[in-house]
């Protein structure tokens, strides 16, 4: 599910297993600020090193080349999910960030403890969590990317079936699993199976990455 912050449900405090989180920042003040925000939440288990199932919380002012390299290195670690807390993000950087494996983005100006926990929980589930203005930007790129893809002959060998494209189009519009199922007259299990099939077959990291793939290839 790719959502804006208002629709993300963190669940009851302390419910379920704790989420292991590592925090990385370019300066100690930023890191300690995020750590202090997360430390008091029972859902979060802070760690010094990443491992299987870990969520990496990455803090950056802007996405220069050095920051993007750090992002790729951490986000592509084996079985690590990523949350990016960033001050500014240019239009042409958004898909690059998502394709690095980042499933959740938080503006630094909105990085309250509650908002950080929302993003961490979404990332741990493999869901997308974008600020509403970024979600709008992502959707607004569809026309440009589609026109670019329209001139390419043929279809990718590992492309999307019409049903898969329909599901991803609704994910990009911000609908959750139940809403997609209702819209397409599928069961929720079918929608989940479609998403699992897409991400597994195309080696995509999460739903946000699947949407980025569909946009780049001109399916939506």
């Amino acid at each position: 599910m790719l959502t804006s912050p208002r629709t993300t449900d963190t669940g009851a405090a302390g419910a379920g297993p704790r989420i292991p989180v590592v925090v990385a920042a370019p300066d100690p003040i930023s890191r300690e600020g995020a750590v202090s925000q997360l430390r008091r939440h029972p859902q979060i288990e802070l760690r010094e090193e990443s491992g299987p199932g870990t969520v990496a919380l990455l803090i950056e002012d802007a996405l220069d080349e050095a920051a993007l390299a750090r992002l790729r290195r951490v986000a592509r670690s084996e079985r690590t999910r990523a949350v990016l807390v960033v001050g500014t993000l240019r239009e042409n950087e958004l898909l690059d960030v998502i394709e690095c494996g980042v499933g959740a983005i938080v503006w630094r100006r909105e990085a309250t403890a509650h908002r950080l926990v929302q993003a961490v929980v979404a990332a741990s589930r493999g869901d997308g969590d974008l600020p509403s203005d970024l979600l709008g930007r992502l959707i607004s790129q569809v026309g440009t990317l589609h026109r670019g893809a329209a001139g390419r002959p043929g279809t990718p060998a590992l492309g999307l079936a019409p049903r898969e494209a329909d599901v991803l189009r609704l994910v990009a519009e911000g609908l959750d699993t139940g809403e997609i199922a209702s819209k397409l007259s599928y069961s929720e299990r079918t929608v989940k199976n479609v998403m699992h099939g897409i991400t597994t077959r195309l080696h995509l990291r999460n739903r946000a990455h699947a949407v980025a793939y569909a946009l780049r290839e001109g399916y939506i």
Side-chain angles (χ1 to χ4, degrees), residues 1 175-184 186-188 191-192:
M1 176 172 58
L175 276 65
D176 62 26
T177 300
E179 291 168 332
I180 294 171
S182 176
K183 193 91 169 177
L184 298 177
Y186 296 157
S187 68
E188 290 192 24
V191 173
K192 291 177 181 177

Side-chain angles (χ1 to χ4, degrees), residues 9-146:
D9 180 13
T10 61
R18 299 175 73 195
I19 302 168
V21 177
V22 295
V23 178
D27 63 89
I29 292 177
S30 295
R31 184 183 185 280
E32 287 305 313
V35 166
S36 66
Q37 294 270 50
L38 294 171
R39 181 178 287 124
R40 59 181 178 269
H41 285 265
Q43 297 151 288
I44 306 300
E45 178 187 342
L46 290 165
R47 293 186 180 177
E48 293 298 321
E49 296 184 358
S50 62
T54 301
V55 174
L57 183 75
L58 310 169
I59 304 170
E60 300 287 353
D61 286 318
L63 218 63
D64 58 18
E65 285 301 318
L68 191 57
R70 286 193 294 270
L71 182 63
R72 287 182 178 132
R73 183 174 62 252
V74 176
R76 290 176 176 175
S77 298
E78 184 178 2
R79 289 185 285 176
T80 298
R81 302 183 187 276
V83 174
L84 175 64
V85 181
V86 67
T88 60
L89 193 64
R90 294 192 297 267
E91 190 89 12
N92 63 339
E93 295 169 337
L94 180 55
L95 287 179
D96 290 334
V97 167
I98 290 173
E99 289 186 338
C100 280
V102 175
I105 300 173
V106 179
W107 292 124
R108 288 194 69 154
R109 62 182 178 272
E110 298 175 354
T112 62
H114 177 69
R115 183 71 190 92
L116 291 178
V117 172
Q118 280 185 324
V120 166
V121 171
S124 72
R125 293 172 176 167
D127 290 341
D129 185 359
L130 303 183
S132 56
D133 57 328
L134 282 186
L135 184 57
R137 271 198 240 171
L138 182 63
I139 295 171
S140 73
Q141 294 182 34
V142 172
T144 301
L145 291 168
H146 182 71

